Amino acid sequence: MSGIVIVDYGMGNLGSVADAFAALGVQCRIADAPAGLRGARGIVLPGVGAFGAAMTNLRERRLDGALTASVLERRTPFLGICLGLQLIADDSTEHGFARGLGWVRGHVLRMEPGPPYPVPHVGWNEVEFRSGARLFERVAPGAHFYFDHSYHLDGGAEGATATCSYGRPWIAALEKDNIHAVQFHPEKSQRNGLRVLRNFARYVDACHA
Amino acid sequence: MLKKRVIGVVLVKDGVAVQSIGFRRYLPIGKPHVAIEYLDRWGIDEIVVLHVHAAGPADAQTVAGYARRCRVPLAVGGGIRDAGAVKRVIQAGADKAVLNTAAITHPGLITEAASLFGEQCVVVSIDAKRRSGGMHEAFVECGRRGTGLSPAELAARAASLGAGEILANSIDRDGIKQGYDLELLRAVAAAVSIPVIACGGAGHPEHMRAALACGTAAVAAGNFFHFVEHSVILVKRQLAQAGEPVRIDSYANYEGRAFSDDGRLAKQSDAALDALRFRYVPEEVI
C-alpha cells in the first residue's frame, strides 16, 4: 500500500499522474478535501493552469491549510509537479499578483528568454541536476524531460537541485527536506519521468520503513 | 537545450484511425489506441489525436482511453466549440485541446480556455490551401469552408487571443508525400512568437528537416508514421544525422546506421547481422 495521495483541486488532469504511478505498480488515491489527506504517506500536487485560480481553488477546498499542516508540520513526503512547483513558492505575478503556499522562498515570474525563444517553453529539454538529488537517482545527466510552461520559479529560490537551459538556465527541480518539486511533467516524460516518480515512491517507502 | 519535437498525428473518423488524402479520402488504418501505443513505444515526442468530421467533441471515456497508455503529452481536437468541451477533454486525460473551426466561429474560446488551463493547453490548428499568386487561405470545417483569411493573419490573431501553439497544416499536401508546404510554414512562423508545429505532406525524413528549417519548433505527421516499423526512430536518427537537435531515448536508436535513398534502413553486412543474434538487451525494470 503506497499511501500516496494525489491532490485534486480542479486544475487539469490527474489521471495521467495516477496512471504513471500505476504503471510502476504504485497505487495512489485521489483527495479533493482535507479529510482525504489523513493518513497520507506521500502527497503529490500536480497542476496545469493559472496560479491565481489554483490558489483560489485550494483555499476554497481548505486544502491550503491541510497541505501545510501535513507537509510542513508532519513532514509528509511531498512532490509538486509543474504548477505544483510554483504554488509552494511565496507568490506569482501570473494574471495579477497572488500569494502561494510559501513553503519555499521564491517568486514565480513570467519567462522572458528573449528572441529567438518562443514562450511557452514547450517540449523536451535536458535537465542538469546536482549529484545526490533524490529524484534523479539512476537518471543520466542531461536526460530529457517534457516542459510546458510560461512562468518559472526565479533563480534566487531556495532548494533548487536542477536546471534546464532555454536562452539561459531555469529552475527545473527543487528539494528541501521532505519537499520535492519539478517544473517538468514526469508523467509525460516516458522512461526518465517514470524513474523520477519511482524515486519519489521509494522515498515515501523509506520514510515509513 | 530545447529539442525540436517530432509529433505523431492520429486522425480518427467514426472511431477508426484513418489515413487522410487531401482532406477528402479517408482510408482505415486500425484502432486509435494501437497507433498511440506504437508511437509512444517508438519514442514520439508528442501525440495529437484529431477527430475529423466530428459531430461533437470526443467524450471523456474516449479521451481517457487515448491517455491511458500514453506516456507523452497528448493533444486532442475535433469538434471543440465551447469551454465545457475543453474542460472535459483536459480533465479526461488530454494535456492540450486543439481548436480549429472554433478559432473563427468562437474566437473568445481561445481566451477562455487559456484562462482556465493556461495558454500552454491551447493549440490552434490552421488548415490552409494555396491560392493563386502564391497566397494561402485558411479553411475550417475539415477543409470545406474558406475563411478568406491568410493563415499568418489567423495565427497572429490566435496568438494574441491566448493560444499557446499553432499547428499549421496544408490541405493540398495532405497525404501525397511530396513534402510540407514550406511557404505556408515560413509565413506562419514569421507571424507569431509562439511555437509553430508543421504538418501535412511528409513522405521522407528529408521533408521534416526542410520543415524545421522554416522556423517551426516541431514537425508533425499523420499518415507517414503508420506504415513503417520504427518510423519515428528512422526520422529522428536521420534528423540527428542532418544536424537537427532531437531527442532519441529509445533503446532502438539506429546510431551509426546508414539509410537508403528512400529513408529506410540500409541493410547491414551479414557479419553484423550475425553478431546481433547474440546481443543481449536486458529489460529495464523502472
Side-chain angles (χ1 to χ4, degrees), chain A residues 88-91 102-107 153-154 156-159 174 176:
Chain A
I88 67 178
D90 290 316
D91 47 58
W103 298 348
V104 303
R105 283 191 316 275
H107 306 282
L153 189 57
D154 73 347
E158 66 171 321
L174 64 82
K176 181 183 166 192

Side-chain angles (χ1 to χ4, degrees), chain B residues 58-98:
Chain B
D59 61 55
Q61 201 180 350
T62 305
V63 175
Y66 297 152
R68 193 156 298 129
R69 274 160 299 215
C70 188
R71 289 281 97 79
V72 291
L74 175 70
V76 173
I80 299 179
R81 304 286 161 91
D82 58 67
V86 173
K87 233 184 190 180
R88 273 194 308 278
V89 152
I90 301 251
Q91 283 173 348
D95 300 286
K96 306 178 188 178
V98 185

